[in-house]
Amino acid sequence: MVEIAQDKGFFLLKFSEQEANALGIDKNSIYELLKAKNNLWVMTETEKKAEEKKQDVKKEEPSPLEEKIIEYLAKFSLSDRVVGNFEKKLSKEEIETLKKMISEKKVEKFKLNESYKVPVYRIVTNGELLYDNKEKPIEEYTLEKDGFLVVKNELRAKQLSQELTDDIKAGKIKGTRSFTGEFYIIKTNLLDKVIDQTLAELKKEKNVCLSKIVKATSLTPTLIKIAIEFLKEEGQVMEKKMELYQYIE
């Protein structure tokens, strides 16, 4: 039997669990009680309870100086991002901003591998993303699944650069063009990982062929080629002949 109880100035209808289930009463709903006539009351469901509004946590936007640091890290060559060299290119205010970003774990000092005596600065990414790592026709590569794109059409490459402007400025994506005309667009966190493994193999021997690096790293030929293109830009690798590379100390 339904009972009426008073609590803190309110009158409450008290149902047993069995009664509530039998009537199909939803605790997340709001009901309206109306008197139809003497001794007859009608209870109707009016609406669902509104969920408590979550406070909007505003995403912290980088300051103008932080944006400059991010832009530098995205555009500067690997040698220019070496700790000690990088600071020489900054103003006093930018150096203080860099220190602040390091303390806030927005920027970190990173060694590509143990053979490097001095680390380089890079933007911190939230977690390591996993990609397919499968060789496929170039038109099937996507940033979401593979972490990179290969484009042969220059107009399409320019269009993609415009679409990805924010990520490029933020240092999340980098792009380059190969000698044979392909445009490579790749996520920075993936590129750093591939460069690390590629350099480790290049330093073992004077001349290393593509197939040997692929076998040693278990990475696809296309990924290795992309890393090589960036390393060639940095002046760290020379392609002696097609798919035969030499590390430049």
Short mmCIF file of all heavy atoms in Angstrom, two decimals, residues 147-174:
data_model
loop_
_atom_site.label_atom_id
_atom_site.label_comp_id
_atom_site.label_asym_id
_atom_site.label_seq_id
_atom_site.Cartn_x
_atom_site.Cartn_y
_atom_site.Cartn_z
N GLY A 147 48.55 6.50 -39.70
CA GLY A 147 49.37 7.56 -39.12
C GLY A 147 50.07 8.42 -40.15
O GLY A 147 50.82 9.33 -39.80
N PHE A 148 49.84 8.14 -41.44
CA PHE A 148 50.49 8.94 -42.48
C PHE A 148 49.70 8.84 -43.79
O PHE A 148 48.83 7.97 -43.96
CB PHE A 148 51.93 8.48 -42.71
CG PHE A 148 52.06 7.10 -43.29
CD1 PHE A 148 52.12 6.90 -44.67
CD2 PHE A 148 52.12 5.98 -42.47
CE1 PHE A 148 52.24 5.63 -45.21
CE2 PHE A 148 52.24 4.71 -43.00
CZ PHE A 148 52.30 4.53 -44.37
N LEU A 149 50.04 9.74 -44.71
CA LEU A 149 49.46 9.75 -46.06
C LEU A 149 50.57 9.87 -47.08
O LEU A 149 51.61 10.48 -46.82
CB LEU A 149 48.51 10.95 -46.22
CG LEU A 149 47.23 10.98 -45.39
CD1 LEU A 149 46.59 12.36 -45.49
CD2 LEU A 149 46.25 9.92 -45.87
N VAL A 150 50.33 9.29 -48.24
CA VAL A 150 51.24 9.45 -49.38
C VAL A 150 50.41 10.02 -50.52
O VAL A 150 49.40 9.43 -50.92
CB VAL A 150 51.88 8.12 -49.81
CG1 VAL A 150 52.84 8.35 -50.98
CG2 VAL A 150 52.60 7.46 -48.65
N VAL A 151 50.81 11.18 -51.03
CA VAL A 151 50.04 11.87 -52.06
C VAL A 151 50.95 12.20 -53.24
O VAL A 151 52.07 12.69 -53.04
CB VAL A 151 49.42 13.18 -51.51
CG1 VAL A 151 48.61 13.87 -52.58
CG2 VAL A 151 48.56 12.88 -50.29
N LYS A 152 50.48 11.93 -54.44
CA LYS A 152 51.28 12.23 -55.63
C LYS A 152 50.81 13.50 -56.33
O LYS A 152 51.56 14.11 -57.08
CB LYS A 152 51.23 11.05 -56.61
CG LYS A 152 52.05 9.85 -56.14
CD LYS A 152 52.21 8.83 -57.25
CE LYS A 152 53.17 7.72 -56.83
NZ LYS A 152 53.37 6.73 -57.91
N ASN A 153 49.58 13.90 -56.06
CA ASN A 153 49.02 15.09 -56.70
C ASN A 153 49.35 16.33 -55.88
O ASN A 153 49.00 16.41 -54.70
CB ASN A 153 47.50 14.92 -56.84
CG ASN A 153 46.86 16.08 -57.57
OD1 ASN A 153 46.71 17.15 -57.01
ND2 ASN A 153 46.47 15.85 -58.82
N GLU A 154 50.01 17.30 -56.49
CA GLU A 154 50.45 18.49 -55.77
C GLU A 154 49.29 19.32 -55.26
O GLU A 154 49.32 19.85 -54.14
CB GLU A 154 51.35 19.35 -56.66
CG GLU A 154 51.99 20.52 -55.93
CD GLU A 154 53.03 21.23 -56.76
OE1 GLU A 154 53.32 20.77 -57.89
OE2 GLU A 154 53.57 22.24 -56.27
N LEU A 155 48.23 19.44 -56.05
CA LEU A 155 47.06 20.21 -55.62
C LEU A 155 46.41 19.57 -54.41
O LEU A 155 45.98 20.26 -53.48
CB LEU A 155 46.05 20.33 -56.77
CG LEU A 155 46.45 21.25 -57.93
CD1 LEU A 155 45.40 21.20 -59.03
CD2 LEU A 155 46.63 22.69 -57.45
N ARG A 156 46.34 18.23 -54.42
CA ARG A 156 45.77 17.51 -53.29
C ARG A 156 46.64 17.70 -52.04
O ARG A 156 46.12 17.87 -50.94
CB ARG A 156 45.64 16.02 -53.63
CG ARG A 156 45.14 15.14 -52.49
CD ARG A 156 43.80 15.57 -51.98
NE ARG A 156 43.32 14.70 -50.91
CZ ARG A 156 42.47 15.08 -49.96
NH1 ARG A 156 41.99 16.32 -49.95
NH2 ARG A 156 42.08 14.23 -49.03
N ALA A 157 47.94 17.70 -52.24
CA ALA A 157 48.86 17.90 -51.12
C ALA A 157 48.67 19.28 -50.50
O ALA A 157 48.67 19.43 -49.27
CB ALA A 157 50.30 17.72 -51.59
N LYS A 158 48.49 20.30 -51.34
CA LYS A 158 48.27 21.66 -50.84
C LYS A 158 46.94 21.75 -50.10
O LYS A 158 46.83 22.42 -49.07
CB LYS A 158 48.30 22.65 -52.00
CG LYS A 158 49.69 22.89 -52.58
CD LYS A 158 49.65 23.90 -53.71
CE LYS A 158 51.05 24.15 -54.27
NZ LYS A 158 51.02 25.11 -55.40
N GLN A 159 45.93 21.06 -50.63
CA GLN A 159 44.62 21.06 -49.98
C GLN A 159 44.70 20.42 -48.60
O GLN A 159 44.15 20.94 -47.63
CB GLN A 159 43.62 20.29 -50.86
CG GLN A 159 42.21 20.26 -50.28
CD GLN A 159 41.27 19.39 -51.11
OE1 GLN A 159 41.67 18.80 -52.11
NE2 GLN A 159 40.02 19.31 -50.69
N LEU A 160 45.42 19.31 -48.51
CA LEU A 160 45.59 18.63 -47.22
C LEU A 160 46.35 19.50 -46.23
O LEU A 160 46.03 19.53 -45.04
CB LEU A 160 46.32 17.30 -47.42
CG LEU A 160 45.49 16.16 -48.01
CD1 LEU A 160 46.39 15.01 -48.43
CD2 LEU A 160 44.45 15.67 -47.01
N SER A 161 47.35 20.21 -46.73
CA SER A 161 48.13 21.10 -45.86
C SER A 161 47.24 22.18 -45.25
O SER A 161 47.38 22.54 -44.08
CB SER A 161 49.27 21.75 -46.64
OG SER A 161 50.20 20.78 -47.06
N GLN A 162 46.31 22.69 -46.05
CA GLN A 162 45.37 23.70 -45.55
C GLN A 162 44.42 23.10 -44.53
O GLN A 162 44.13 23.70 -43.49
CB GLN A 162 44.59 24.31 -46.71
CG GLN A 162 45.45 25.17 -47.63
CD GLN A 162 44.68 25.68 -48.84
OE1 GLN A 162 43.55 25.26 -49.09
NE2 GLN A 162 45.28 26.60 -49.59
N GLU A 163 43.94 21.88 -44.82
CA GLU A 163 43.00 21.22 -43.91
C GLU A 163 43.66 20.88 -42.57
O GLU A 163 43.00 20.86 -41.53
CB GLU A 163 42.47 19.94 -44.55
CG GLU A 163 41.57 20.18 -45.75
CD GLU A 163 41.18 18.89 -46.46
OE1 GLU A 163 41.57 17.81 -45.98
OE2 GLU A 163 40.48 18.96 -47.49
N LEU A 164 44.96 20.60 -42.61
CA LEU A 164 45.68 20.16 -41.41
C LEU A 164 46.52 21.27 -40.80
O LEU A 164 47.41 21.01 -39.99
CB LEU A 164 46.57 18.97 -41.77
CG LEU A 164 45.85 17.72 -42.29
CD1 LEU A 164 46.85 16.74 -42.88
CD2 LEU A 164 45.04 17.06 -41.18
N THR A 165 46.23 22.51 -41.17
CA THR A 165 47.04 23.65 -40.72
C THR A 165 47.20 23.69 -39.21
O THR A 165 48.31 23.88 -38.69
CB THR A 165 46.41 24.98 -41.20
OG1 THR A 165 46.47 25.02 -42.63
CG2 THR A 165 47.19 26.17 -40.65
N ASP A 166 46.11 23.50 -38.47
CA ASP A 166 46.17 23.59 -37.00
C ASP A 166 47.10 22.53 -36.42
O ASP A 166 47.90 22.81 -35.52
CB ASP A 166 44.77 23.45 -36.40
CG ASP A 166 43.89 24.65 -36.70
OD1 ASP A 166 44.45 25.71 -37.07
OD2 ASP A 166 42.66 24.54 -36.58
N ASP A 167 46.99 21.29 -36.93
CA ASP A 167 47.84 20.21 -36.43
C ASP A 167 49.30 20.41 -36.83
O ASP A 167 50.21 20.05 -36.08
CB ASP A 167 47.35 18.85 -36.96
CG ASP A 167 46.09 18.38 -36.24
OD1 ASP A 167 45.86 18.83 -35.11
OD2 ASP A 167 45.34 17.57 -36.81
N ILE A 168 49.52 20.98 -38.00
CA ILE A 168 50.89 21.25 -38.45
C ILE A 168 51.52 22.32 -37.57
O ILE A 168 52.66 22.19 -37.12
CB ILE A 168 50.91 21.67 -39.93
CG1 ILE A 168 50.50 20.48 -40.82
CG2 ILE A 168 52.29 22.17 -40.34
CD1 ILE A 168 50.27 20.84 -42.28
N LYS A 169 50.76 23.39 -37.30
CA LYS A 169 51.27 24.46 -36.44
C LYS A 169 51.52 23.96 -35.02
O LYS A 169 52.44 24.42 -34.34
CB LYS A 169 50.27 25.62 -36.41
CG LYS A 169 50.27 26.46 -37.68
CD LYS A 169 49.33 27.65 -37.54
CE LYS A 169 49.38 28.54 -38.77
NZ LYS A 169 48.44 29.69 -38.66
N ALA A 170 50.69 23.02 -34.58
CA ALA A 170 50.83 22.47 -33.23
C ALA A 170 51.94 21.43 -33.15
O ALA A 170 52.24 20.91 -32.07
CB ALA A 170 49.51 21.85 -32.77
N GLY A 171 52.55 21.12 -34.30
CA GLY A 171 53.65 20.14 -34.30
C GLY A 171 53.19 18.71 -34.24
O GLY A 171 54.00 17.80 -34.04
N LYS A 172 51.90 18.46 -34.45
CA LYS A 172 51.38 17.10 -34.39
C LYS A 172 51.57 16.35 -35.70
O LYS A 172 51.55 15.12 -35.73
CB LYS A 172 49.89 17.12 -34.02
CG LYS A 172 49.60 17.67 -32.64
CD LYS A 172 48.10 17.71 -32.38
CE LYS A 172 47.79 18.29 -31.01
NZ LYS A 172 46.33 18.37 -30.77
N ILE A 173 51.73 17.10 -36.77
CA ILE A 173 51.87 16.51 -38.11
C ILE A 173 53.00 17.22 -38.85
O ILE A 173 53.17 18.43 -38.72
CB ILE A 173 50.55 16.62 -38.90
CG1 ILE A 173 49.50 15.66 -38.32
CG2 ILE A 173 50.75 16.33 -40.38
CD1 ILE A 173 48.15 15.77 -38.98
N LYS A 174 53.76 16.44 -39.62
CA LYS A 174 54.83 17.01 -40.44
C LYS A 174 54.67 16.52 -41.88
O LYS A 174 54.06 15.48 -42.13
CB LYS A 174 56.20 16.62 -39.90
CG LYS A 174 56.54 17.29 -38.58
CD LYS A 174 57.98 17.02 -38.19
CE LYS A 174 58.35 17.79 -36.93
NZ LYS A 174 59.77 17.61 -36.57
#
